[in-house]
Amino acid sequence: MYKAKIFVNYKPSVLDPKATVIQQTLTRLGQTNVDSVMVGKYFELVLQGNEAAVNEQVAKLCSEMLANVNMETYRYTLEEVEA
Amino acid sequence: MYKAKIFVNYKPSVLDPKATVIQQTLTRLGQTNVDSVMVGKYFELVLQGNEAAVNEQVAKLCSEMLANVNMETYRYTLEEVEA
C-alpha cells in the first residue's frame, strides 16, 4: 500500500490571482517582508498495489484528472505505508 | 530569508466534498484500489527576517488568513533559503 503526496501548482508563466491577493493583502497590513507567495493544491491518496502499478496510476490520475496540464504542473512522491 | 511550506486541510470530522467526488469518480472508472483521498491547500511563502520572527508571523498568518480554524487545521515547515 502506498501513500501518494501530490502537489499541483500553476506554471510560473500563469497569473495566480489568489497568490496576488494574498501578497497585496499582506502588504496592506504592513507585512512587507513577504517576497513571494505561491498557492497550490495538495492531495494525499492511499492506493493498494505494487509500486510500479501505483506509480503509473498516479501519473495518469495527475495528468488526466487532478491537474490541468495546460496551466498547471504536478509532482508527487510515493511512500510505502502499513495497511 | 525563509521559505514557509504551509499545508491546510479539513479537520477529519469535516466532510470534504472534493475528496468524495474524486474517490467516487475513481471507483466509477474501475480504480477501486484507492483507499482514501484527501484534498488540501498548499502555500509557499518566502519571508525576510530571523527565524523566530518569521515563525510567529507565519503562525499568525495561517490562523488568521490562510486557514479557517473552525473547519481546517494547518501545519508548516520553515527552511532557510539563499537570497
Side-chain angles (χ1 to χ4, degrees):
Chain A
M1 214 150 74
Y2 288 87
K3 179 181 279 191
K5 298 181 173 183
I6 303 167
F7 296 83
V8 177
N9 305 126
Y10 281 121
K11 289 180 183 175
S13 56
V14 177
L15 177 72
D16 182 348
K18 281 187 200 170
T20 307
V21 166
I22 290 170
Q23 188 148 16
Q24 285 175 350
T25 306
L26 290 173
T27 303
R28 209 160 52 230
L29 293 171
Q31 298 186 33
T32 51
N33 65 327
V34 180
D35 280 1
S36 75
V37 177
M38 194 276 294
V39 180
K41 287 176 279 188
Y42 176 68
F43 303 88
E44 266 183 25
L45 275 72
V46 176
L47 304 100
Q48 287 171 20
N50 67 55
E51 187 165 4
V54 167
N55 190 48
E56 192 184 340
Q57 184 179 3
V58 171
K60 202 166 180 312
L61 177 63
C62 287
S63 62
E64 296 181 1
M65 186 193 272
L66 301 181
N68 169 356
V69 291
N70 297 308
M71 296 173 66
E72 294 170 327
T73 57
Y74 63 85
R75 62 193 162 87
Y76 62 87
T77 58
L78 292 180
E79 59 190 53
E80 197 158 10
V81 290
E82 292 300 314
Chain B
M1 213 150 76
Y2 288 87
K3 179 181 277 189
K5 299 182 173 183
I6 303 167
F7 296 83
V8 177
N9 305 126
Y10 281 121
K11 290 179 182 175
S13 57
V14 177
L15 177 71
D16 182 347
K18 283 189 202 170
T20 307
V21 166
I22 290 170
Q23 188 148 17
Q24 285 175 350
T25 305
L26 290 172
T27 302
R28 208 160 54 229
L29 293 170
Q31 298 186 33
T32 50
N33 65 328
V34 180
D35 280 2
S36 74
V37 177
M38 193 275 295
V39 180
K41 287 176 279 188
Y42 176 66
F43 303 88
E44 267 184 23
L45 275 71
V46 175
L47 304 100
Q48 288 172 19
N50 67 55
E51 187 165 5
V54 166
N55 191 48
E56 193 183 337
Q57 183 180 4
V58 172
K60 200 166 182 307
L61 177 65
C62 287
S63 63
E64 296 182 0
M65 186 194 273
L66 301 180
N68 170 356
V69 291
N70 296 309
M71 295 172 67
E72 294 170 326
T73 56
Y74 62 86
R75 63 193 161 87
Y76 62 88
T77 58
L78 291 182
E79 59 189 53
E80 199 159 8
V81 290
E82 292 301 312

